Amino acid sequence: MPDNPDDNRKLFFSITKASDVPIKVLETAEMCSGANGFYSPTTKEICLSPDLKGYQRIKTLLHEITHSKLHKDSQEVFGSEKYSLQDWKQNLPLLSLLII
């Protein structure tokens, strides 16, 4: 499937409108500390790297929306064992697709 910029832009904005949390594209990639994006449980917002384009931007946005739902009421800190276990639960359905 070709990476159509107009379709990607429309899809990105449709997803942002449907999100329960604010989404912002950061000013610099360095603000993401090497990640494509992140969900902040403290500020309850999703932040994306400005370097993301096309499907990568959409994939990252959907991944972070999943984090926002999974960690919505969690007090766990990124990097803790319980946070990691919550991430495993998030990614298990995706792993099953790779095995099939």
Side-chain angles (χ1 to χ4, degrees), residues 37-93:
F38 60 90
Y39 167 68
S40 171
T42 307
T43 61
K44 305 244 185 277
E45 66 184 358
I46 293 170
C47 300
L48 299 174
S49 169
D51 294 346
L52 296 177
K53 304 288 185 243
Y55 292 134
Q56 186 67 29
R57 188 182 220 194
I58 293 166
K59 182 195 87 60
T60 301
L61 176 59
L62 291 172
H63 177 85
E64 297 308 331
I65 286 173
T66 304
H67 275 292
S68 75
K69 293 185 178 308
L70 181 68
H71 300 293
K72 178 178 166 186
D73 297 321
S74 176
Q75 300 301 315
E76 294 305 316
V77 178
F78 178 77
S80 73
E81 186 175 339
K82 190 167 181 180
Y83 189 98
S84 296
L85 286 172
Q86 290 171 341
D87 275 358
W88 260 105
K89 288 178 184 177
Q90 170 190 336
N91 289 314
L92 279 176

